[in-house]
Amino acid sequence: MNRDTMSFDIIGVGCGVATLSTVLQLLKRVKSEPAGSMQAPTVLIIDKGMSVGAHNLSGAVVDPGPLAELLTPEEFAGLPKFTTVKSESFQFLTPGGSMQVPWMPKSMRAEGYPIVSLSELTRYLAGLCEKAGAEICAGFAAVELLKENGRITGVRMGDKGLDKNGVQRAGFELGPDLIGSMVILGEGACGFLTEQLIAERGISGPNPETYALGIKELIETPECKGRAGTIMHTFGYPLDQMTYGGGFVYCVSDTMTAIGMITALDYRNPTLNPHDLFRLFKHHPKVQPFVAGGKVVEYGAKVLPEGGFHCVPGLAVDGAIIVGDGAGLCNSLRLKGVHLAVQSGLSAGNALCEGWKNNKDFSVAAMSKYPEQLKASAPWKTLQKIKNVRAGFSYGSIPGIMTIGMGVVSGGLLPPGRMPLEPDWETMKAKADVRPWVQPPKVADSEAGTQMDKLSDVFFSKTHHEENQPSHLKILDTAKCTTCIQKFGAPCTIFCPAQVYVLKDDKTSIHIDFSNCLHCKTCQIKDPLQNIKWTPPEGGGGPVYSKM
Ligand code: SF4
């Protein structure tokens, strides 16, 4: 069988906000040139999800600044949104109570910002890109970067139709090679090809990236008139002093609440279960009123890159650029990444247009305009001002809050230099050295619709994979599992938000239910022995988010 080859000028991998913003800006800039002076590049964007937006999940209260720059006033007015933020609060939670934070810096406030579904926003931007001339193909995973003399020349798409033993099934298809002058890597946090490229070219940031697992539900509730637009961010309970993160409650309408919990993956206790923490959060008396009597209608999970300024890798190599979450562009303090994804798209799109105009000059030197422009933008400068905040929190809540204070007072000059971060997988302690984490709450009948176990929740993510294919989750050395089970108590069976890993009866090995996988990548990031490798499954598999 021969592998097909298809050629495009630009290839986007991952149909998320960052890739779409890059392509839209590029095509708009080309179109704005004097009529007939420049031919538009051919653009193909591929995505591993079953449909556009199927793998896109976020809070999401969006800082609209960069979107307003990317879109025309008419396009901006047509943005799909649930509502806008009308009232907001920050709460410190204790096990049974709460205290409102009396003052928040302006940069942390969100009144008037739109509350959106990232899946819907993605579909909207994809529609604009198609209108501008780009082609978009969902259901196709990119599995390899193609190279020639060190230059990225395209991507290989995954084969379709291998059975669980790697043997060709009826209808087997070889994935084609997509050849292009430029590849935009917008795979999201911990992207498969992006991570390979960063490691291979030695372009990681000075600090290793640190992640958090975000778990989110959409809950339909009895009507509560006037609640739409109310948002609440929390810190404290159910996390301890040494675990960074918090919860959010966004009333997206009078009858629908988006609720989520973010748990930083540099946690130490191997018995910590992020899904249990989420359940405890929903059970808290300050949170309960927002979900009481409700029922879950959608569920999902993803990781966020939290490290910030000192973790951002090199953004351009010969033939490829990295945009959005895959480049670590997220402001964890503001719990916002969408505006940085759009901002990276604006800067990358401008650099691509200049390169295109200049006889397809997509060399590293030409593409260096992308990071240059990004680093002159307001969202980047905000990131710079909090450059050490995330590292401060790795020493606990009090040092973290002090780091914020120093940063705000000094305009980002303090603490000076770079505070180091440890890779998330290195922070886990042995089970014998910790106290078991608290269990999820006992479920009252009134909470039955909102207190799901993991598998019931997975049902609401509409996750599906062809069962008869090789597992996309690879345990690199099964002998190491025994060590991990003895020392850490099989943490993959605990942290995975989809119960993919199950301890076998022999208590020395792990069974993998890969078809439940939400593609969050937590297992690859947090496995303390770095023994799990996430690879792209057959295109079209995974969750199918519609309003997340
Ligand atoms: Fe996330 Fe890994 Fe579980 Fe899949 S198997 S849901 S990537 S932790």
Side-chain angles (χ1 to χ4, degrees):
M1 253 181 177
N2 289 328
R3 207 176 275 283
D4 285 342
T5 298
M6 293 186 259
S7 294
F8 297 86
D9 294 312
I10 311 273
I11 297 162
V13 180
C15 187
V17 167
T19 308
L20 293 165
S21 302
T22 307
V23 168
L24 193 55
Q25 178 70 0
L26 163 67
L27 295 176
K28 283 184 171 201
R29 283 277 317 269
V30 170
K31 200 177 168 198
S32 70
E33 293 291 317
S37 68
M38 213 197 301
Q39 199 187 345
T42 54
V43 183
L44 175 72
I45 304 172
I46 57 168
D47 194 88
K48 64 183 168 59
M50 178 186 275
S51 53
V52 172
H55 287 186
N56 297 86
L57 169 151
S58 183
V61 172
V62 176
D63 175 343
L67 272 170
E69 199 179 327
L70 174 71
L71 305 176
T72 63
E74 296 74 37
E75 289 166 348
F76 187 80
L79 277 174
K81 63 179 181 191
F82 286 116
T83 182
T84 48
V85 176
K86 296 188 181 68
S87 80
E88 60 181 325
S89 69
F90 267 86
Q91 304 282 338
F92 172 69
L93 302 186
T94 61
S98 62
M99 193 177 75
Q100 176 150 350
V101 178
W103 177 84
M104 291 307 293
K106 193 166 170 266
S107 62
M108 299 273 292
R109 298 201 290 260
E111 214 163 295
Y113 284 5
I115 309 179
V116 308
S117 144
L118 197 66
S119 327
E120 285 191 340
L121 177 62
T122 304
R123 284 191 284 273
Y124 181 71
L125 293 177
L128 296 180
C129 282
E130 284 179 321
K131 233 197 239 166
E135 278 183 62
I136 299 180
C137 279
F140 295 94
V143 297
E144 191 183 330
L145 282 169
L146 304 174
K147 295 161 210 157
E148 222 176 275
N149 300 325
R151 180 184 174 81
I152 307 299
T153 54
V155 294
R156 174 161 293 172
M157 302 217 293
D159 302 338
K160 286 190 172 187
L162 288 177
D163 75 8
K164 60 184 177 201
N165 300 311
V167 176
Q168 296 178 8
R169 301 191 308 254
F172 172 80
E173 287 169 36
L174 274 179
D177 284 346
L178 306 176
I179 306 297
S181 305
M182 171 53 68
V183 173
I184 304 164
L185 289 170
E187 297 176 288
C190 198
F192 179 68
L193 298 181
T194 311
E195 291 296 295
Q196 280 176 18
L197 184 69
I198 290 172
E200 185 189 294
R201 302 291 165 103
I203 54 169
S204 56
N207 272 345
E209 186 56 85
T210 184
Y211 296 91
L213 172 62
I215 299 180
K216 177 182 170 186
E217 282 174 348
L218 263 183
I219 297 180
E220 198 177 312
T221 62
E223 185 169 18
C224 179
K225 281 215 184 306
R227 197 157 71 184
T230 304
I231 68 167
M232 176 171 84
H233 288 108
T234 74
F235 62 106
Y237 180 86
L239 298 167
D240 65 8
Q241 288 269 327
M242 296 305 291
T243 310
Y244 183 60
F248 65 85
V249 177
Y250 301 155
C251 298
V252 302
S253 74
D254 289 347
T255 57
M256 190 75 82
T257 301
I259 184 164
M261 176 94 212
I262 314 290
T263 306
L265 291 181
D266 62 347
Y267 68 81
R268 291 154 178 79
N269 188 330
T271 68
L272 181 153
N273 183 330
H275 190 269
D276 281 355
L277 293 177
F278 179 46
R279 292 183 58 181
L280 286 163
F281 172 64
K282 283 185 286 181
H283 188 65
H284 190 276
K286 189 74 189 171
V287 179
Q288 255 292 303
F290 293 100
V291 295
K295 58 178 194 301
V296 174
V297 292
E298 205 164 351
Y299 170 77
K302 69 170 271 194
V303 291
L304 299 70
E306 287 204 320
F309 185 80
H310 290 306
C311 300
V312 175
L315 299 178
V317 300
D318 246 345
I321 52 170
I322 309 171
V323 293
D325 272 10
L329 296 171
C330 177
N331 184 325
S332 70
L333 197 58
R334 295 183 75 201
L335 201 59
K336 292 198 181 356
V338 177
H339 69 304
L340 272 156
V342 178
Q343 190 68 55
S344 71
L346 282 164
S347 308
N350 288 338
L352 285 176
C353 181
E354 292 304 315
W356 179 249
K357 263 205 278 195
N358 203 7
N359 205 18
K360 289 195 196 177
D361 179 6
F362 295 139
S363 61
V364 184
M367 286 304 104
S368 64
K369 288 192 181 135
Y370 157 40
E372 270 169 34
Q373 266 201 27
L374 177 66
K375 288 174 185 180
S377 70
W380 176 269
K381 286 180 181 155
T382 311
L383 208 58
Q384 194 167 15
K385 282 186 187 161
I386 56 160
K387 60 183 185 289
N388 282 316
V389 164
R390 181 60 191 83
F393 275 97
S394 61
Y395 297 95
S397 307
I398 305 294
I401 291 167
M402 284 166 60
T403 324
I404 297 177
M406 280 191 261
V408 169
V409 170
S410 68
L413 296 175
L414 294 175
R418 169 174 66 89
M419 289 172 71
L421 275 167
E422 273 180 283
D424 294 330
W425 60 272
E426 272 188 359
T427 58
M428 199 178 266
K429 290 184 175 173
K431 197 177 171 193
D433 298 336
V434 299
R435 277 198 308 197
W437 200 276
V438 281
Q439 296 297 308
K442 285 216 161 59
V443 180
D445 285 350
S446 58
E447 291 178 280
T450 58
Q451 284 288 345
M452 301 284 164
D453 60 24
K454 284 184 188 175
L455 285 182
S456 309
D457 253 337
V458 169
F459 172 79
F460 290 104
S461 68
K462 301 192 197 76
T463 297
H464 171 80
H465 293 87
E466 164 60 55
E467 300 268 355
N468 191 13
Q469 65 171 306
S471 169
H472 65 283
L473 298 154
K474 317 281 184 203
I475 293 192
L476 304 177
D477 177 357
T478 48
K480 278 191 181 174
C481 287
T482 315
T483 314
C484 182
I485 291 164
Q486 283 166 357
K487 183 170 177 187
F488 298 105
C492 62
T493 64
I494 300 170
F495 57 58
C496 171
Q499 206 171 308
V500 166
Y501 300 97
V502 182
L503 190 58
K504 286 190 191 166
D505 289 343
D506 63 9
K507 305 277 187 253
T508 62
S509 55
I510 300 287
H511 168 76
I512 301 179
D513 275 331
F514 73 85
S515 57
N516 287 346
C517 178
L518 298 167
H519 298 200
C520 76
K521 319 277 178 69
T522 301
C523 48
Q524 174 166 311
I525 294 164
K526 191 57 183 171
D527 172 40
L529 299 185
Q530 287 294 274
N531 196 27
I532 298 175
K533 178 88 187 147
W534 188 96
T535 64
E538 205 170 89
V544 185
Y545 302 137
S546 60
K547 291 260 180 202
M548 293 297 257

